[in-house]
Amino acid sequence: MRIRSLGVIDDAVVELSPGFTAVTGETGAGKTMVVTSLGLLLGGRADPALVRVGAKAAVVEGRIVMPADAPAALRAEEAGAELDDGALLISRTVSAEGRSRAHVGGRSVPVGLLAELADDLVAVHGQTDQQGLLRPARQRQALDRYAGDAVAVPLEKYAAAYRRLRAVAAELDTLTTRARERAQEADLLRFGLDEVAAVEPVAGEDTELAAEAERLGHAEALASAAQLGHAALAGNPEDPEAIDANTLVAGAHRALESVRSHDPALGALAERIGELGILLADVAGELAGYADDLDADPLRLAAVEERRAALIQLTRKYGTEGTVDSVLQWAEQGAARLLELDGDDERIADLTAERDGLRSELSLLAQGLTDARVEAATRFASAVTEELASLAMPHARVTIDIRQAEDPEGVEVDGRPVAYGPSGTDEVELLLAPHPGAQPRPIAKGASGGELSRVMLAVEVVFAGSDPVPTYLFDEVDAGVGGKAAVEVGRRLAKLAKSAQVVVVTHLPQVAAFADRQLLVEKTNDGSVTRSGVTVLEGEARIRELSRMLAGHEDSASARAHAEELLAAARADA
């Protein structure tokens, strides 16, 4: 991994051993930046404040060796990335302005893809994880994670039933608590629908009646105009001397017909005048018929106006657009809504039956989930206890207490009100008896600082054995441990490194001595600029660093002798 312009690190290359790598250095030298860099490669949050002062961006590049058929390799290939000689190249850039970019196998990818790949590549265990494991809720999650499909499968079924029960209960509560409001809504709908049904409006009726009312209200004027128009076109019987349009057009047609043989153009005009005569005759006939058919009955006008008034009253109350069509649309929607409201009693009965059935089903699923957790808890506690024996706590015993959470408003089970939650009814708590005769107590209360660190490390190692990832990062999980216990911690991590890659950020020389490779993060200051670098320690350099870690002074003869002894013991143990 190459780190540039990140925090105190100007430019450094971190070469990790395939086995056990220990990262050491003075407090504040930048060991945390190594962890942060790996976190960025794994899709962690990009903080622009980490960009080195004066730099435009921080860059972290990593080379991860993996088989071509590894899950992470296959997922990267789906995103268009390619392996480079059996290795996947990943880079993350964080600008000082806060922008972040990611590249995998030569392709630009969303940062979220890095987090997806991380699930199959690295398991990170740090002090934050330890503090989280002190909470019972996290301990239940840890147990479920350890149990795998034995808990995951019944938990998925339980969660689905739980979500459905919540939805049914919410709908049932809405129906019952709003019964009065819904009854009032139903009464208003019935009243409105009855009003509409009494009038029996027809689509488009208001438009037709408006036109008819306009016509009836001006019947005399319309009839007089039609009669005058007819007389002008076809003649007035009461005035034989008057000349009408038909007569004039007929005369023009005869005049042109008499000479059309002398000029085809004039003949064409004669034909057009003949067509005009036919059209005038048709219009005159229609005007005569219009005048004869025109209804000037005042009773009909009164009936039309009465009908229009009834329709207008409906449109004002129920027509969203002021038309009969919108009234009919409201009536259709209102009828559907009324059917829904009238069906509430039946719906309440159905939902009540479904709720009761779901409660019974949930009870059975919760019991199955509890049984699976109890079985996994026995194995988990045994595995952690075995690990503690390897961490200088040979007489310690870890147990897991699984009990049902109680809720005064919960469902009665065996005479006790049980709280059903999204993950079941179980409360899980990790208990420790540090020596024979001691009563098991919650690990947050029953363990000293050093014991707590070892318990947590044991839990992490058990997790590491069940997590299908090739690399494990432990960030100062050995805090509070020293002496013989620290040696056992180093020995246990070295054992884990035989089957996986292990990276440990530590301040303990007893742990660092067991590492296959030790990296020193060292800060330098030339008077104006402070920077840190990463160095692989070998031979004399490693002995000096272990001496510093032991005595605070790398030139101490006794510390040097102790450092050599630690290295020799670790190599003999390997």
Side-chain angles (χ1 to χ4, degrees), residues 65-203:
V65 178
M66 66 181 68
D69 59 351
L74 298 177
R75 179 66 186 91
E77 287 181 359
E78 289 178 6
E82 296 180 357
L83 291 182
D84 180 17
D85 193 23
L88 187 64
L89 304 181
I90 299 178
S91 71
R92 181 83 179 274
T93 303
V94 181
S95 72
E97 292 78 23
R99 293 188 300 273
S100 174
R101 298 193 308 275
H103 290 79
V104 175
R107 294 292 297 271
S108 177
V109 297
V111 173
L113 177 64
L114 300 185
E116 292 182 37
L117 298 179
D119 292 338
D120 297 313
L121 292 175
V122 180
V124 179
H125 305 286
Q127 291 179 322
T128 301
D129 302 280
Q130 288 190 23
Q131 294 303 316
L133 277 172
L134 294 178
R135 299 195 299 270
R138 284 292 301 276
Q139 291 176 21
R140 187 196 64 235
Q141 294 171 5
L143 177 60
D144 290 353
R145 173 180 152 206
Y146 172 81
D149 288 343
V151 166
V153 172
L155 179 57
E156 184 177 356
K157 294 179 180 178
Y158 172 90
Y162 177 80
R163 288 192 298 270
R164 178 56 188 164
L165 177 59
R166 290 287 299 271
V168 168
E171 185 177 355
L172 191 58
D173 182 65
T174 299
L175 289 176
T176 54
T177 56
R178 294 184 55 203
R180 182 178 177 182
E181 296 177 15
R182 297 167 76 88
Q184 291 175 342
E185 183 184 356
D187 287 344
L188 289 174
L189 284 173
R190 287 192 188 92
F191 179 80
L193 291 172
D194 288 344
E195 280 197 311
V196 175
V199 177
E200 295 183 342
V202 177

Side-chain angles (χ1 to χ4, degrees), residues 92 114 141 179 270 303 318 344 357 399 434 468 528 532 557:
R92 181 83 179 274
L114 300 185
Q141 294 171 5
Y318 309 111
D344 277 357
T399 56
S528 59
S532 290

Side-chain angles (χ1 to χ4, degrees), residues 204-548:
E205 183 182 8
D206 50 344
T207 303
E208 295 176 3
L209 289 175
E212 186 178 0
E214 183 73 13
R215 187 168 62 251
L216 291 172
H218 300 83
E220 292 184 4
L222 292 173
S224 177
Q227 291 169 356
L228 289 174
H230 177 269
L233 295 178
N236 188 351
E238 298 179 359
D239 186 8
E241 300 297 328
I243 300 176
D244 57 84
N246 268 336
T247 301
L248 293 174
V249 170
H253 184 259
R254 287 193 300 272
L256 295 181
E257 279 290 329
S258 63
V259 295
R260 64 179 298 171
S261 60
H262 302 303
D263 188 349
L266 199 60
L269 291 175
E271 291 180 1
R272 292 171 62 186
I273 292 176
E275 294 171 357
L276 180 59
I278 295 172
L279 179 60
L280 287 173
D282 289 343
V283 173
E286 291 182 15
L287 286 173
Y290 176 84
D292 293 339
D293 295 339
L294 189 62
D295 185 2
D297 185 0
L299 295 179
R300 174 57 186 167
L301 177 59
V304 169
E305 293 295 353
E306 183 179 355
R307 178 66 176 172
R308 291 185 68 203
L311 293 176
I312 289 172
Q313 186 177 8
L314 284 183
T315 56
R316 285 174 178 171
K317 296 176 69 174
Y318 309 111
T320 55
E321 298 176 4
T323 64
V324 167
D325 288 353
S326 61
V327 171
L328 293 172
Q329 183 179 9
W330 175 88
E332 181 180 357
Q333 295 172 349
R337 175 61 175 163
L338 185 58
L339 282 175
E340 180 183 338
L341 293 172
D342 286 342
D344 277 357
D345 291 340
E346 182 179 348
R347 179 63 177 158
I348 288 174
D350 291 342
L351 287 173
T352 301
E354 184 179 3
R355 181 200 61 191
D356 294 343
L358 283 168
R359 282 177 173 175
S360 299
E361 180 186 358
L362 205 64
S363 177
L364 293 174
L365 291 172
Q367 186 58 51
L369 192 55
T370 299
D371 293 342
R373 282 175 173 149
V374 168
E375 190 279 330
T378 301
R379 293 186 290 110
F380 184 58
S382 176
V384 174
T385 298
E386 185 178 344
E387 285 297 330
L388 287 177
S390 301
L391 295 172
M393 293 180 67
H395 303 297
R397 181 169 56 92
V398 169
T399 56
I400 296 179
D401 179 31
I402 298 179
R403 58 187 178 275
Q404 289 186 315
E406 294 190 21
D407 181 358
E409 299 181 359
V411 180
E412 288 283 341
V413 177
D414 296 332
R416 294 188 306 113
V418 174
Y420 283 82
S423 299
T425 61
D426 302 320
E427 288 183 342
V428 176
E429 193 162 33
L430 201 62
L431 308 178
L432 172 69
H435 52 80
Q439 289 297 318
R441 298 183 63 194
I443 56 174
K445 301 176 182 177
S448 65
E451 288 173 337
L452 181 59
S453 289
R454 278 179 281 173
V455 170
M456 290 305 182
L457 180 57
V459 170
E460 300 291 359
V461 170
V462 169
F463 277 153
S466 62
D467 278 349
V469 292
T471 300
Y472 302 96
L473 171 63
F474 295 93
D475 182 14
E476 296 193 5
V477 294
D478 50 14
V481 178
K484 182 180 179 182
V487 174
E488 294 302 328
V489 168
R491 181 176 288 116
R492 188 61 192 87
L493 291 171
K495 183 179 178 181
L496 178 62
K498 293 183 183 299
S499 58
Q501 184 181 42
V502 176
V503 181
V504 179
V505 178
T506 182
H507 65 283
L508 293 179
Q510 296 94 328
V511 172
F514 280 89
D516 300 309
R517 176 175 297 167
Q518 184 172 348
L519 302 179
L520 172 63
V521 181
E522 192 172 21
K523 183 186 295 185
T524 60
N525 190 328
D526 61 5
S528 59
V529 177
T530 300
R531 55 171 54 89
S532 290
V534 181
T535 306
V536 178
L537 298 179
E538 296 178 347
E540 178 63 23
R542 187 172 185 184
I543 293 175
R544 285 175 60 84
E545 171 61 9
L546 289 175
S547 299
R548 181 200 64 76

